[in-house]
Amino acid sequence: MTTAAPPVEVAFYGGLGEIGANMASVEVGGRICVLDVGLTFPDAEHFGIDLILPDWSRLRARAADVACVVITHGHEDHMGALPFFLREFPGVPIYATRLTVGLLRAKLEEHPDVSADLRVVEAGERIETGPFDLEFVAVAHSIPDGMAVAFHTPHGTILHSGDFKLDQTPIDGKPTDLPHLAQLGDEGIALLLADSTNADVPGHVPSESRIGRTLRDVFDDAQGRIVVTTFASHVHRVQQVIDAATEVGRKVCFVGRSMVRNMPIARSLGYLDYDDESVVELSDVDRGPRDAAVIICTGSQGEPYAALSLMAAGQHRQITLERGDTVVMASSVIPGNESAIYRSINGLSRQGAEVVHKGIADVHVSGHAAADELKFFHNIVRAAAFVPVHGEYRHLLAHARVARETGTPAEQVFVCEDGDTVVLRDGRVTRGESFRPGRVYVDGLGVGDVGNAVLRERGKLSEEGICVAVVQIDQHARVVEEPQLFQQGVFYEREQPELMGLAAKALGDDLIRGTAHDSDPAVVRRLVSSALGRFWRDRTGRRPVILPILVEV
Amino acid sequence: MTTAAPPVEVAFYGGLGEIGANMASVEVGGRICVLDVGLTFPDAEHFGIDLILPDWSRLRARAADVACVVITHGHEDHMGALPFFLREFPGVPIYATRLTVGLLRAKLEEHPDVSADLRVVEAGERIETGPFDLEFVAVAHSIPDGMAVAFHTPHGTILHSGDFKLDQTPIDGKPTDLPHLAQLGDEGIALLLADSTNADVPGHVPSESRIGRTLRDVFDDAQGRIVVTTFASHVHRVQQVIDAATEVGRKVCFVGRSMVRNMPIARSLGYLDYDDESVVELSDVDRGPRDAAVIICTGSQGEPYAALSLMAAGQHRQITLERGDTVVMASSVIPGNESAIYRSINGLSRQGAEVVHKGIADVHVSGHAAADELKFFHNIVRAAAFVPVHGEYRHLLAHARVARETGTPAEQVFVCEDGDTVVLRDGRVTRGESFRPGRVYVDGLGVGDVGNAVLRERGKLSEEGICVAVVQIDQHARVVEEPQLFQQGVFYEREQPELMGLAAKALGDDLIRGTAHDSDPAVVRRLVSSALGRFWRDRTGRRPVILPILVEV
């Protein structure tokens, strides 16, 4: 295959290696299609940061060429950054399936300044838009209506798997469409990009349908209140909770903002099935007998103000737990959240509840295919080249191994990271030029104005606090008054009230010695920093931030 | 059994519920024996804290009655706080087994101001000291020479299990001494305190000896450099690494301060067996062929400056990794360390090394008996009463369940937390009075001077930074100059240089309006706080700490 068309470039902005905010772009004929625009949540080292977005600054110079966005499914790490993206690229049409569009609409209501051109597509459909010839394939995942996307280009077909699993008995009867993938494979896939989340987990992921049986058993045994927590997007899990509740004669009650928001959307679009009379309001739960309802709530990751965390702390205004109650954590443990989740479990136990979690019962399965299932996927798709996506570096490496084991030639397996590109030309893939994306932090109203320099400052403040010294100097930079000292986070002043006086005295002595004659402000500042640094180090072993402030009087 | 002797009190200072710094005391006849004096390490929320100690302030008023300390084994969470304890209670004799004493001596060398009266005891031995009649029982654990301790008292016998596992084929041939425990059980145990770490893990822990086979397989396959990381106290694990290395014709090299310190101690005391010629120095490893050695190093938990973390970052001065090298993480994942450990694995993978960890091969087993093994333990000891120890609340609850299932009467199972006590009188256990222990934070040279108030300040600084306003006022508290503003950690000044000027202007306007007439300093401070608070909130959505400083000129 040879064509005069410019080569196709695939670029990776997020989701490969470090940050889990998925975003890629595919450039065909000078036009750019963006594939997923996800966000991720901060770790403990991201002091004060609210959200982390992919860095799409590379696209700014090409704004006129950004032709469309495709969102593979409705998870935050695939669509969460879209409101921010649309502020920079207004009017770009967004293609997604029905449920994804429904969830996007609800999300965009929280950003009234953003308008979006949302276009519903369906798995199985093939559309043309500009130079893009796109085909959508149904995939099963931990949210309904997910899809893989094939880009038919003059240089060959690129298939992006989205997030998927190979559950052969999903509860909506819609497994990942392997026949469709096989047909694409027959036609020839030049480049496959596929989900690597579980590529280092051997074996197969059990079916979601197994959870339903466990839930029924647990509900059968439960005497008191039942609380189930899961992700507010996991419609199938919620369906199983509703079904099990109905079977044991309980109603369900949705608690937590995103749960209350999402479930009616999923229901109105036909992805969730329940009668009005099987749902009760929280106020009615509170008044009714303890065994009348199953509360389905947010907080599975131990998020500080989520419903379950408040219950664990005994601080939920409407729901109290007591001996004999049961809490089911029908959810995964997202790495980094372990301590918070264990804190929840300990708190719930202390309230008297029995806590059922995936460590002791089958109440959760992953939404991502494991290593041995990925082999099926590769053998069905039979791509000529492969880039593992969606995962930390170790996952990408593991997935590269799977691809080689199933026959992708080693030299056509490209382990990329955010900022890498690959180029497809005449059916062959090569590495392209890399760029250097940062991470864009959202902090309050600011998007991108807090970077690593500010985070380093916050980190230093968090470790040892700050000591501020106000020094009055005359016009010759001679110190004219004993300095005033203030501290935050260095030590507990009430317990050692004398320490600030000693510090001021030590500093004053040094300043008088150092500035007896004419001086200059820079010298005074240095003196303050070194004298106070020494004082705190000797006295406390700590190195607070020292902020010298000179006031000329 | 009735006796005129005062009842026996057991008090819990740490290790039950929240902080993993184990410490208990047993009071017999007015004298106090302290059982373990451990420390624990800070979480992300313990900004700048170095270590966390149990709060033994309750013992201060009773210093003259503190008769002895027993250390069950040589792990930090059981003996690490001893140097701090001995500064307050100098001269108290400390009983421990040979290896524990050896490791304690090495630890105390780092605290030259502390002297210790270390007394070696042996498992199987029974000693009397003051009113204490102590019997030591050998237990297997992830460090050799651990023991359980029985207190024979006038009111009945109390057995404390220490940390233990029930590996029936430990590599030193010394399983937990069940016959000895059975004999104590025959004589009658009034109160059992036992390790709950794995009480919520169903089943049995595999034998340590299984690791050796896996290591040999991995070493057999490895072509390049081999690096193994494990805990520097896990002598049996290290023994297996040495044995496997020897079998494949490699020498071993110890890397990392605690590894280099501990292994010769373990060897000289007879707990570790290797020839001089099977060990090489790091400098020789560096010069030799890549397949000549197995490097055994610290850093299994992703600790920032440990050997393995430096290798993962490509920053270790002597050891570089490349494609074809193998890293074995023969270690557990301590909750809270997941992100750091995954970062290590990603870094090592990026260097080209194949990383073998417990998720993909049998390279680690736990040192604590799991739920079904605990049932053996309870059925052998047959205690009349039980307090689960060593675990978070969920573990303690799970262990209480195990005790009830194996026949301990429910009303004689006491789930306690730090600060609780139980009282043994005439063979019957009741709850005693609780006290309120805090946590003692070590930060630099300070022990206990940083508490939750300071941590809250640090937390607030870490979230949004600090803005300092220096306002010059006259003697009527009228503002005489435009205020000077400084910030740390709020935003990046270089990118928005105008923002500080705008803030000063906003503040100045408010101050002039508010202090046109005579004012007072408190009013000025309030004005500064509210004006700046509003400015930053409106402009950035952030709420930095505001520190108003008035300078009267």
Side-chain angles (χ1 to χ4, degrees):
Chain A
M1 167 166 44
T2 347
T3 159
V8 174
E9 183 208 68
V10 183
F12 303 103
Y13 303 82
L16 279 66
E18 289 271 330
I19 79 156
N22 295 291
M23 175 173 167
S25 70
V26 179
E27 180 169 349
V28 177
R31 302 285 287 163
I32 294 165
C33 170
V34 172
L35 196 59
D36 286 336
V37 191
L39 59 73
T40 190
F41 296 95
D43 278 340
E45 77 239 41
H46 299 122
F47 302 106
I49 296 299
D50 302 317
L51 304 170
I52 304 175
L53 314 180
D55 175 6
W56 51 66
S57 52
R58 175 181 189 252
L59 290 176
R60 264 176 217 139
R62 303 284 309 278
D65 300 324
V66 175
C68 61
V69 173
V70 176
I71 302 290
T72 58
H73 62 282
H75 278 154
E76 289 294 311
D77 59 333
H78 290 259
M79 70 168 204
L82 209 46
F84 300 93
F85 184 86
L86 289 174
R87 286 197 184 98
E88 289 196 49
F89 303 93
V92 177
I94 296 149
Y95 296 91
T97 56
R98 211 148 40 94
L99 179 62
T100 308
V101 165
L103 295 172
L104 259 175
R105 268 194 228 288
K107 171 178 256 321
L108 287 165
E109 276 172 22
E110 296 163 13
H111 299 264
D113 62 312
V114 174
S115 68
D117 176 5
L118 298 169
R119 303 186 183 183
V120 173
V121 296
E122 211 168 326
E125 199 177 345
R126 184 165 177 169
I127 65 164
E128 287 197 33
T129 170
F132 297 102
D133 176 357
L134 305 175
E135 188 169 349
F136 305 113
V137 182
V139 297
H141 185 39
S142 44
I143 185 170
D145 225 7
M147 59 183 189
V149 185
F151 292 79
H152 299 288
T153 85
H155 290 276
T157 298
I158 299 172
L159 176 67
H160 190 293
S161 73
D163 281 359
F164 73 99
K165 61 176 179 173
L166 294 182
D167 187 348
Q168 293 307 298
T169 53
I171 67 148
D172 62 354
K174 293 180 182 160
T176 293
D177 193 346
L178 296 178
H180 192 172
L181 290 169
Q183 177 209 317
L184 286 169
D186 289 344
E187 295 164 19
I189 299 292
L191 170 61
L192 170 67
L193 318 170
D195 179 9
S196 311
T197 309
N198 274 341
D200 68 342
V201 177
H204 297 250
V205 173
S207 172
E208 175 71 26
S209 54
R210 173 190 288 201
I211 313 283
R213 289 197 294 275
T214 311
L215 289 174
R216 277 192 295 277
D217 289 346
V218 172
F219 289 9
D220 261 337
D221 290 348
Q223 309 291 323
R225 189 156 271 178
I226 299 177
V227 176
V228 182
T229 183
T230 190
F231 299 103
S233 58
H234 205 323
V235 175
H236 291 162
R237 188 71 45 85
V238 172
Q239 181 73 63
Q240 299 205 91
V241 177
I242 296 172
D243 293 348
T246 308
E247 279 189 47
V248 300
R250 292 181 185 236
K251 293 173 184 277
V252 299
C253 173
F254 299 119
V255 174
R257 201 170 60 92
S258 51
M259 199 62 86
V260 170
R261 182 187 73 184
N262 287 0
M263 291 311 126
I265 297 172
R267 184 196 188 195
S268 70
L269 296 173
Y271 296 93
L272 189 64
D273 182 29
Y274 59 85
D275 301 329
D276 284 332
E277 46 292 14
S278 53
V279 179
V280 287
E281 291 300 315
L282 184 50
S283 49
D284 294 328
V285 168
D286 201 30
R287 280 198 294 269
R290 295 188 83 77
D291 64 351
V294 172
I295 293 158
I296 306 177
C297 72
T298 55
S300 69
Q301 300 304 305
E303 304 91 331
Y305 298 103
L308 191 73
S309 308
L310 293 172
M311 292 178 214
Q315 291 172 355
H316 197 286
R317 272 184 299 172
Q318 284 132 315
I319 309 167
T320 53
L321 296 174
E322 59 181 44
R323 187 161 301 276
D325 291 344
T326 305
V327 176
V328 182
M329 308 198 64
S331 48
S332 65
V333 176
I334 295 179
N337 296 346
E338 292 81 0
S339 299
I341 293 171
Y342 292 142
R343 193 174 305 133
S344 276
I345 297 178
N346 287 327
L348 296 165
S349 305
R350 205 173 272 119
Q351 306 293 321
E354 174 143 7
V355 183
V356 179
H357 54 81
K358 78 188 182 91
I360 55 178
D362 293 329
V363 290
H364 175 73
V365 296
S366 171
H368 303 268
D372 290 302
E373 295 171 295
L374 292 173
K375 292 174 188 164
F376 282 81
F377 193 84
H378 284 270
N379 280 330
I380 286 167
V381 171
R382 294 153 287 165
F386 175 61
V387 176
V389 297
H390 304 176
E392 299 177 24
Y393 200 82
R394 63 202 163 102
H395 304 125
L396 304 179
L397 273 192
H399 202 176
R401 199 176 304 128
V402 167
R404 289 193 303 269
E405 283 170 9
T406 51
T408 314
E411 71 281 3
Q412 285 288 291
V413 174
F414 302 89
V415 176
C416 294
E417 292 189 81
D418 296 332
D420 287 340
T421 69
V422 293
V423 174
L424 172 65
R425 188 197 310 258
D426 297 332
R428 289 288 294 176
V429 175
T430 52
R431 279 187 186 272
E433 270 186 35
S434 294
F435 57 104
R436 289 216 148 273
R439 302 160 180 212
V440 175
Y441 299 125
V442 178
D443 181 4
L445 303 172
V447 179
D449 67 328
V450 167
N452 290 327
V454 174
L455 288 188
R456 267 193 304 274
E457 286 181 359
R458 291 183 185 174
K460 202 150 169 9
L461 290 169
S462 82
E463 287 282 306
E464 319 269 3
I466 185 169
C467 177
V468 180
V470 177
V471 181
Q472 297 185 40
I473 54 174
D474 65 17
Q475 55 192 0
H476 305 292
R478 284 181 303 224
V479 176
V480 297
E481 279 271 359
E482 173 150 296
Q484 287 180 270
L485 291 188
F486 305 86
Q487 65 88 24
Q488 290 267 314
V490 183
F491 73 104
Y492 192 46
E493 277 190 47
R494 256 191 249 172
E495 295 226 328
Q496 296 177 79
E498 76 292 354
L499 211 48
M500 291 303 274
L502 291 174
K505 172 107 185 41
L507 174 59
D509 291 350
D510 269 30
L511 282 178
I512 286 162
R513 261 200 304 279
T515 66
H517 308 291
D518 281 13
S519 178
D520 77 79
V523 170
V524 177
R525 268 192 211 96
R526 266 203 306 278
L527 274 172
V528 171
S529 292
S530 66
L532 284 177
R534 198 176 328 113
F535 178 85
W536 293 116
R537 205 170 56 243
D538 293 351
R539 275 303 183 123
T540 66
R542 296 169 204 156
R543 297 168 182 279
V545 174
I546 309 287
L547 179 63
I549 298 178
L550 307 191
V551 177
E552 197 178 314
V553 292
Chain B
M1 168 166 42
T2 349
T3 159
V8 174
E9 184 208 68
V10 182
F12 303 103
Y13 303 82
L16 277 67
E18 289 272 328
I19 79 158
N22 295 291
M23 176 172 167
S25 69
V26 179
E27 179 169 349
V28 177
R31 304 284 286 163
I32 295 165
C33 171
V34 172
L35 197 61
D36 287 337
V37 190
L39 59 73
T40 191
F41 297 96
D43 280 339
E45 77 238 43
H46 299 123
F47 302 106
I49 296 300
D50 301 317
L51 304 170
I52 303 175
L53 314 181
D55 175 5
W56 51 67
S57 53
R58 175 180 188 253
L59 290 177
R60 263 175 218 141
R62 304 283 309 276
D65 300 323
V66 175
C68 61
V69 173
V70 176
I71 302 290
T72 59
H73 63 282
H75 279 153
E76 290 294 310
D77 60 334
H78 290 259
M79 70 170 205
L82 209 46
F84 300 92
F85 184 85
L86 289 174
R87 286 196 184 98
E88 288 196 50
F89 303 93
V92 177
I94 296 150
Y95 296 91
T97 57
R98 213 146 40 92
L99 179 63
T100 308
V101 165
L103 295 172
L104 259 175
R105 268 194 227 290
K107 172 178 255 319
L108 287 165
E109 276 172 21
E110 295 164 14
H111 299 265
D113 62 312
V114 174
S115 68
D117 175 5
L118 298 170
R119 303 186 183 183
V120 173
V121 295
E122 210 167 326
E125 200 177 345
R126 182 165 178 170
I127 64 165
E128 288 196 31
T129 171
F132 297 102
D133 176 358
L134 304 175
E135 188 168 350
F136 305 113
V137 183
V139 297
H141 185 40
S142 45
I143 186 170
D145 224 8
M147 58 183 191
V149 186
F151 293 77
H152 299 287
T153 85
H155 290 277
T157 299
I158 299 171
L159 176 67
H160 189 293
S161 74
D163 280 359
F164 73 97
K165 61 177 178 172
L166 293 183
D167 187 348
Q168 293 306 298
T169 53
I171 69 149
D172 62 354
K174 292 179 182 160
T176 293
D177 193 346
L178 296 178
H180 192 171
L181 290 169
Q183 178 209 317
L184 285 168
D186 289 345
E187 295 164 19
I189 299 292
L191 170 60
L192 171 67
L193 318 170
D195 178 11
S196 311
T197 310
N198 274 341
D200 67 344
V201 177
H204 296 248
V205 173
S207 174
E208 174 72 26
S209 54
R210 173 190 288 201
I211 313 283
R213 290 197 293 274
T214 312
L215 289 174
R216 277 192 295 278
D217 289 347
V218 172
F219 290 8
D220 260 337
D221 291 348
Q223 309 290 323
R225 190 156 271 178
I226 299 176
V227 177
V228 182
T229 184
T230 190
F231 299 102
S233 59
H234 205 323
V235 175
H236 291 161
R237 189 70 47 83
V238 172
Q239 181 72 62
Q240 299 205 90
V241 177
I242 297 173
D243 293 348
T246 308
E247 279 188 47
V248 300
R250 292 182 185 233
K251 292 173 187 276
V252 299
C253 173
F254 299 120
V255 174
R257 201 169 60 93
S258 51
M259 198 62 86
V260 169
R261 182 187 73 182
N262 287 0
M263 291 311 127
I265 296 172
R267 184 196 188 195
S268 70
L269 296 173
Y271 295 93
L272 189 64
D273 182 29
Y274 59 87
D275 301 329
D276 284 333
E277 46 292 14
S278 54
V279 179
V280 288
E281 292 298 316
L282 183 51
S283 51
D284 294 328
V285 169
D286 200 31
R287 281 198 295 269
R290 294 188 83 77
D291 63 352
V294 171
I295 292 159
I296 306 177
C297 73
T298 55
S300 69
Q301 300 304 306
E303 304 90 332
Y305 298 104
L308 192 74
S309 309
L310 293 172
M311 292 179 214
Q315 291 173 355
H316 197 284
R317 272 184 298 171
Q318 285 132 315
I319 308 166
T320 53
L321 295 175
E322 59 181 43
R323 190 162 297 279
D325 291 344
T326 305
V327 175
V328 182
M329 308 198 65
S331 49
S332 66
V333 176
I334 294 179
N337 296 345
E338 292 82 0
S339 300
I341 293 171
Y342 293 142
R343 194 175 304 133
S344 275
I345 296 177
N346 287 327
L348 295 164
S349 304
R350 205 173 273 119
Q351 306 294 320
E354 174 143 6
V355 183
V356 180
H357 54 80
K358 76 188 183 93
I360 56 178
D362 294 328
V363 292
H364 175 73
V365 295
S366 171
H368 303 268
D372 290 302
E373 296 171 295
L374 292 174
K375 292 173 187 163
F376 282 82
F377 193 83
H378 283 272
N379 281 330
I380 286 167
V381 170
R382 295 153 286 165
F386 175 61
V387 176
V389 297
H390 304 176
E392 298 176 24
Y393 200 81
R394 63 201 163 103
H395 304 126
L396 304 180
L397 273 192
H399 202 174
R401 199 175 304 129
V402 167
R404 288 194 301 269
E405 282 170 9
T406 51
T408 314
E411 71 281 6
Q412 284 289 289
V413 174
F414 301 89
V415 176
C416 295
E417 292 191 81
D418 297 332
D420 287 340
T421 68
V422 291
V423 174
L424 172 65
R425 188 197 309 257
D426 298 331
R428 290 288 294 177
V429 175
T430 51
R431 278 187 187 273
E433 269 187 34
S434 295
F435 57 105
R436 289 217 147 272
R439 302 161 181 213
V440 175
Y441 299 125
V442 178
D443 180 2
L445 303 173
V447 179
D449 68 328
V450 168
N452 291 327
V454 174
L455 289 187
R456 269 194 303 274
E457 285 181 0
R458 291 183 184 174
K460 200 151 170 12
L461 291 169
S462 80
E463 287 281 308
E464 318 269 4
I466 184 169
C467 178
V468 179
V470 177
V471 181
Q472 298 184 40
I473 53 174
D474 64 17
Q475 53 192 2
H476 305 291
R478 283 182 302 224
V479 176
V480 297
E481 279 271 358
E482 173 150 295
Q484 285 179 271
L485 291 188
F486 305 85
Q487 66 88 23
Q488 290 267 313
V490 183
F491 74 104
Y492 193 46
E493 278 191 45
R494 256 190 253 174
E495 295 225 330
Q496 297 177 78
E498 76 292 353
L499 211 48
M500 290 304 274
L502 291 174
K505 173 109 184 40
L507 174 60
D509 291 350
D510 270 28
L511 282 178
I512 286 161
R513 261 200 304 279
T515 66
H517 306 291
D518 280 13
S519 179
D520 77 80
V523 169
V524 178
R525 269 193 209 95
R526 264 203 307 278
L527 274 173
V528 171
S529 292
S530 66
L532 283 177
R534 197 177 328 114
F535 178 85
W536 292 117
R537 204 171 55 243
D538 292 350
R539 275 303 182 124
T540 66
R542 296 169 204 155
R543 298 168 182 277
V545 175
I546 308 287
L547 180 62
I549 297 178
L550 306 192
V551 177
E552 196 179 317
V553 292

